[in-house]
Amino acid sequence: MTRLIVVSNRVSAPVDPAAGSAGGLAMALSAALRKYDGLWFGWSGETVETFTGELTVEDRAGVTVNLVDLEAQDVDEYYNGYANKTLWPLFHHRVDLTAYERSYGEGYERVNRRFAETLAPLIQPDDIIWVHDYHLIPLARDLRRLGVTNRIGFFLHTPWPARQLLVTLPHHRRLVESLFAYDLIGFQTQEWLDLFRDYVISEVRGELAGYGGLEAFGRRVRIGTFPIGIDVDGFVQARDSREGVRTYDRMAASAAFRSMIVGVDRLDYSKGLEERMLGYEQFLRDHPDLRGDVFLVQVTPISRDEVDTYQDIRARLDSLAGRINGEYADMDWQPIRYLNRSYRRDQLAGIYRAARVCLVTPLRDGMNLVAKEYVCAQNPEDPGVLVLSRFAGAAEQMGEALLVNPFSREEVADAIHRALTMPLKERIRKWRSLMKVVEDTDVGLWRDAYVGALKSVEIAGQNGDLPHAA
């Protein structure tokens, strides 16, 4: 039987299916593995003095995970360095924050090679391998060098950068060339796919090769868009669970007849958190009559706190939230509740359901599953309104949201006001359209579309050439 092997930097399959990250990616991959027998391979999050490649095997809610420890130097150069200080800001169009250090690139290559050497003995002849995200771009190349001829696919969860920005990366050509060791490259949106294709054709003189194919570096790869979704049935169950209902009741009571606005984002400069708070402040300034009638709950779990830029943005957000509360708060009202902690998925579902408005305003984002979770959590008879950045991947699908330019505080403020005053009939119409998108892009459909496309790829011939897409 064909197994599915999922590979990612961190293995985040939750022990408790009701718990999950704000965006729900862990739930998405876990759902995929529960349908297709196999395993999830990645870094344990732990460090050892000397890398050994020794594996720890666990069962997490029906998902087999294989974990490997890394050296402290690996974490510093590969994860904190190249992944989070080089590729992440570059892929989100923040060249001003991108660090180009030779040691980071060396660590990135070293860890991908170590992942390949540890993973290769686990691979059986009929397995298909699904590699996730920018941390592991060279992994297929390193597996091929070890003789692995299985179908290998890659899915990018972030945006792909514009060619004019990508060429600022030292050895950018080598990075892109390594992607051609995959059989299938998946992107969240047509925009990210078009940017990748533009680089290949313009920079390395690649060519289109049939439907959905690209040829360059003497190899051919299939490319496609596979917009990720959420586990709709699982999220509805979480929403209607005892804890989900209890959280909704608590938040509704806490609102005290006020309208609640919610934002749920990992702490990151790509999420537009400062711009969101400034837009909300503009709304308070423009509509003094509504002060006291509305409040913002911003849930922002801390992430990547070892990276300087994340420490900086945390300090700025703390200061900004404090300043807005200091200027506008009253004895019985605080305009912003800023929470630096994580919540379970069932609790988030209750929070979403209680919110009249959800602000999803990234400056650039691969998809953004919070937008889909918020829609899924709503009461069909009295739904809230989604305010969505046009620079989120979800905007390509969710045109019935109130699309905004997050760089314009006035535009964000106007959207908040429109959302709060939108008639019930219009809210229901918009919600029905958005909910159809959520259901039509359910994680099960995403999973089946990607795995089906990968299964259809022709494997290598007997001449030892690298595999290529049909």
Side-chain angles (χ1 to χ4, degrees):
M1 179 179 178
T2 298
R3 298 188 309 168
L4 175 66
I5 297 178
V6 168
V7 188
S8 62
N9 170 60
R10 289 294 300 274
V11 175
S12 51
V15 175
D16 180 357
S21 63
L25 175 59
M27 309 309 298
L29 293 179
S30 294
L33 282 167
R34 274 190 285 270
K35 177 169 183 177
Y36 294 92
D37 184 33
L39 59 93
W40 192 344
F41 174 91
W43 175 37
S44 66
E46 302 296 328
T47 59
V48 290
E49 185 174 343
T50 302
F51 179 81
T52 64
E54 183 178 345
L55 287 169
T56 300
V57 181
E58 298 178 1
D59 181 282
R60 296 186 182 179
V63 175
T64 301
V65 302
N66 285 250
L67 309 172
V68 64
D69 300 335
L70 294 176
E71 294 177 8
Q73 183 180 356
D74 291 337
V75 176
D76 185 55
E77 295 176 348
Y78 148 79
Y79 181 69
N80 292 331
Y82 202 78
N84 290 329
K85 292 183 180 178
T86 304
L87 292 185
W88 177 268
L90 178 62
F91 281 25
H92 289 83
H93 281 197
R94 292 301 303 271
V95 180
D96 57 315
L97 300 177
T98 303
Y100 302 124
E101 297 287 344
R102 182 171 298 175
S103 63
Y104 293 167
E106 292 170 350
Y108 184 72
E109 293 281 342
R110 182 177 64 251
V111 170
N112 271 271
R113 186 168 60 251
R114 286 177 167 177
F115 268 41
E117 291 169 350
T118 308
L119 175 62
L122 305 178
I123 299 172
Q124 299 174 7
D126 292 333
D127 290 345
I128 59 174
I129 304 158
W130 192 2
V131 179
H132 288 263
D133 231 357
Y134 59 99
H135 311 83
L136 302 174
I137 288 174
L139 185 62
R141 178 202 65 195
D142 294 333
L143 287 170
R144 301 299 187 200
R145 289 173 175 172
L146 295 172
V148 175
T149 59
N150 301 59
R151 294 177 176 88
I152 310 178
F154 178 80
F155 185 78
L156 184 66
H157 292 267
T158 69
W160 183 264
R163 171 171 52 91
Q164 295 84 350
L165 300 181
L166 183 57
V167 295
T168 67
L169 177 69
H171 308 297
H172 56 88
R173 182 186 177 103
R174 184 173 67 193
L175 186 74
V176 174
E177 182 177 4
S178 69
L179 281 167
F180 277 74
Y182 289 97
D183 300 297
L184 174 65
I185 304 173
F187 298 91
Q188 300 268 20
T189 72
Q190 188 65 40
E191 181 180 354
W192 313 146
L193 183 150
D194 289 343
L195 289 173
F196 176 75
R197 186 166 52 197
D198 173 65
Y199 174 94
V200 172
I201 292 174
S202 301
E203 191 67 26
V204 300
R205 301 296 184 262
E207 297 179 350
L208 300 179
Y211 179 74
L214 269 180
E215 193 165 320
F217 310 106
R219 301 166 190 164
R220 185 181 302 173
V221 66
R222 183 181 297 169
I223 58 176
T225 57
F226 302 88
I228 193 171
I230 65 171
D231 178 7
V232 174
D233 291 341
F235 197 80
V236 168
Q237 291 174 9
R239 180 197 69 192
D240 297 339
S241 67
R242 180 178 180 182
E243 184 61 26
V245 173
R246 179 173 178 270
T247 302
Y248 166 78
D249 289 340
R250 289 177 60 195
M251 296 306 298
S254 171
F257 306 106
R258 296 183 171 106
S259 294
M260 185 176 87
I261 303 169
V262 70
V264 178
D265 311 82
R266 177 176 55 80
L267 182 68
D268 191 278
Y269 46 78
S270 70
K271 300 300 183 182
L273 295 169
E274 292 177 88
E275 290 78 5
R276 180 181 308 170
M277 287 190 185
L278 291 171
Y280 177 62
E281 181 184 33
Q282 186 70 45
F283 163 78
L284 296 176
R285 185 180 299 119
D286 292 345
H287 301 282
D289 56 311
L290 294 179
R291 297 175 195 168
D293 293 337
V294 63
F295 65 99
L296 169 65
V297 174
Q298 179 59 53
V299 179
T300 307
I302 303 301
S303 69
R304 301 172 183 167
D305 210 26
E306 304 87 355
V307 180
D308 293 345
T309 50
Y310 289 83
Q311 297 170 4
D312 293 342
I313 190 175
R314 181 179 183 183
R316 292 198 301 273
L317 289 171
D318 288 345
S319 176
L320 184 55
R323 180 177 64 76
I324 294 172
N325 281 335
E327 182 172 350
Y328 291 98
D330 207 338
M331 289 184 294
D332 64 342
W333 172 66
Q334 181 170 303
I336 298 179
R337 301 179 189 177
Y338 180 48
L339 310 173
N340 289 135
R341 55 162 295 181
S342 298
Y343 289 90
R344 292 163 50 99
R345 189 169 64 144
D346 45 12
Q347 293 173 321
L348 284 174
I351 294 171
Y352 291 142
R353 194 173 182 87
R356 175 61 65 195
V357 181
C358 181
L359 299 181
V360 179
T361 56
L363 307 182
R364 195 166 177 82
D365 214 347
M367 175 54 64
N368 198 293
L369 297 182
V370 168
K372 296 186 177 185
E373 289 181 341
Y374 175 75
V375 169
C376 191
Q378 295 310 294
N379 177 358
E381 297 179 359
D382 187 21
V385 179
L386 175 64
V387 176
L388 179 62
S389 166
R390 62 179 64 252
F391 305 120
E396 194 170 282
Q397 301 174 307
M398 306 180 79
E400 282 294 336
L402 298 185
L403 299 182
V404 297
N405 173 7
F407 294 96
S408 169
R409 67 179 69 184
E410 290 87 358
E411 197 168 317
V412 173
D414 291 346
I416 292 173
H417 183 257
R418 183 183 171 194
L420 290 169
T421 58
M422 186 177 292
L424 176 62
K425 184 176 181 180
E426 185 178 2
R427 285 192 278 123
I428 291 176
R429 179 186 64 78
K430 284 183 172 293
W431 175 82
R432 285 176 177 169
S433 176
L434 291 171
M435 189 60 192
K436 185 176 188 309
V437 170
V438 172
E439 292 172 338
D440 289 348
T441 59
D442 175 87
V443 67
L445 299 174
W446 169 74
R447 169 195 64 213
D448 292 343
Y450 189 93
V451 174
L454 184 55
K455 283 183 173 181
S456 72
V457 172
E458 291 183 351
I459 61 174
Q462 300 302 313
N463 58 4
D465 293 337
L466 290 181
H468 60 274

